[in-house]
């Protein structure tokens, strides 16, 4: 066979037939390339047996594994693409088992949690929660809904810093075991901005001074109660959308004020 298939003058150094005769056991040789058949890959199974006279012979079964090798190559390339996307994703991504042990994580997750690579897999997810009840609620929703999206929790970094996070958690099967894929976003600044907006809105709403907000075109988008009382409106619906210049006695002065406001970013004066 080494002459016909391989174009060799000597027996192949890893010949399965020779090994089978020596060990008297089946020998399998993977990925043998048939040189005379355009390097077609095959799997050779060498099966030793005795004939009627007791002489040891070998039967070989050759299986073309061209498509199998292509599939393995495609699978390896797919895994590489996945790993590259996983490692370089701008959001924090992690995979943990049902007991909260971290199995996989990307650089963004590591930076967000503040642990070294050596310590990441020693972390228990439950220990990162400020309020353990939030994790119990998350697990409860996972059991009832199958997955959880944009679930807000308060977490702790390695140094004890508390931050607000939005979690999307999706269960899937990995190596026969159910694991949890988590995408995590730090929303601390967003929550602070939202809280500041609430405080501002409350301050505007309760102010004894007339307060109004307008879009760049000069149309009212918000007015407080003092504004409504000053101009005699019963509700804000009648005022919203009105041009700010409507409330000026002198239209030329109103247009000049709007121009200064857009160019300079502010205007102070009497109307």
């Amino acid at each position: 066979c080494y002459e016909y298939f391989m174009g060799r003058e000597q027996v192949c150094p890893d010949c399965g037939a020779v090994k089978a005769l020596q060990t008297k056991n089946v020998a399998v040789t993977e990925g043998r390339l048939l040189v005379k058949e355009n390097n077609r890959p095959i799997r050779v199974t060498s099966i030793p047996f005795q004939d009627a006279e007791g002489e040891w012979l070998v039967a070989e079964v050759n299986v073309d594994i061209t498509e199998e090798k292509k599939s393995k190559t495609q699978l390896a390339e797919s895994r590489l693409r996945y790993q590259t996307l996983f490692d370089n994703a701008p959001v924090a991504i992690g995979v943990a088992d049902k007991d909260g042990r971290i199995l996989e994580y990307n650089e963004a997750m590591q930076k967000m949690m503040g642990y070294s690579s050596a310590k990441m897999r020693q972390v228990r997810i439950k220990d990162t929660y400020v309020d353990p009840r939030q994790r119990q609620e998350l697990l409860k929703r996972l059991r009832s809904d199958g997955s959880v999206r944009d679930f807000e929790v308060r977490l702790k970094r390695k140094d004890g810093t508390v931050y607000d996070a939005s979690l999307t958690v999706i269960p899937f099967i990995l190596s026969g075991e159910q694991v949890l894929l988590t995408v995590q976003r730090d929303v601390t600044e967003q929550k602070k901005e939202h809280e500041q907006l609430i405080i501002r809105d409350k301050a505007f709403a309760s102010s004894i001074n007339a307060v109004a907000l307008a879009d760049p075109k000069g149309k009212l988008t918000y007015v407080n109660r003092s504004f409504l009382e000053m101009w005699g409106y019963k509700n804000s619906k009648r005022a919203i959308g009105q041009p700010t210049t409507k409330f000026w006695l002198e239209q030329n002065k109103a247009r000049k004020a709007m121009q200064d406001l857009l160019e300079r970013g502010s205007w102070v004066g009497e109307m």
Side-chain angles (χ1 to χ4, degrees), residues 70-196:
K70 284 182 180 179
S71 297
K72 287 183 178 180
T73 299
Q74 291 171 351
L75 179 59
E77 291 174 349
S78 178
R79 285 176 175 170
L80 178 60
R81 286 194 295 270
Y82 161 78
Q83 194 66 47
T84 301
L85 290 172
F86 181 87
D87 291 340
N88 296 283
V91 294
I93 305 175
V95 178
D97 64 17
K98 62 182 180 180
D99 296 320
R101 289 188 293 262
I102 296 176
L103 305 175
E104 295 290 342
Y105 59 90
N106 66 355
E107 185 176 350
M109 178 66 83
Q110 181 185 343
K111 287 182 177 179
M112 187 175 294
M113 296 180 67
Y115 289 88
S116 66
S117 298
K119 296 292 184 180
M120 277 295 287
R121 285 189 170 83
Q122 298 176 21
V123 177
R124 291 296 177 267
I125 300 299
K126 64 182 180 65
D127 296 330
T128 66
Y129 280 74
V130 174
D131 185 351
R133 291 174 297 181
Q134 289 187 324
R135 176 161 176 79
Q136 294 305 315
E137 176 62 23
L138 183 147
L139 295 175
K140 180 180 178 181
R141 292 198 187 183
L142 272 175
R143 288 191 292 269
S144 62
D145 301 339
S147 64
V148 174
R149 298 185 184 277
D150 300 322
F151 185 83
E152 291 194 0
V153 297
R154 304 201 77 202
L155 302 176
K156 296 178 291 186
R157 305 187 205 277
K158 179 180 181 296
D159 62 5
T161 303
V162 175
Y163 65 102
D164 296 292
S166 175
L167 308 181
T168 293
V169 184
I170 303 171
F172 71 101
I173 301 300
L174 179 65
S175 300
E177 299 290 334
Q178 186 179 71
V179 296
L180 301 177
L181 172 69
T182 300
V183 178
Q184 180 172 304
R185 294 185 298 114
D186 186 337
V187 295
T188 306
E189 292 304 317
Q190 293 178 28
K191 286 185 70 68
K192 285 182 180 179
E193 291 175 1
H194 181 65
E195 290 170 358
Q196 290 171 355

Side-chain angles (χ1 to χ4, degrees), residues 43-55:
R43 178 185 297 112
V44 181
T45 301
S46 302
I47 306 170
F49 67 96
Q50 287 180 292
D51 62 11
E53 298 177 357
E55 183 180 357

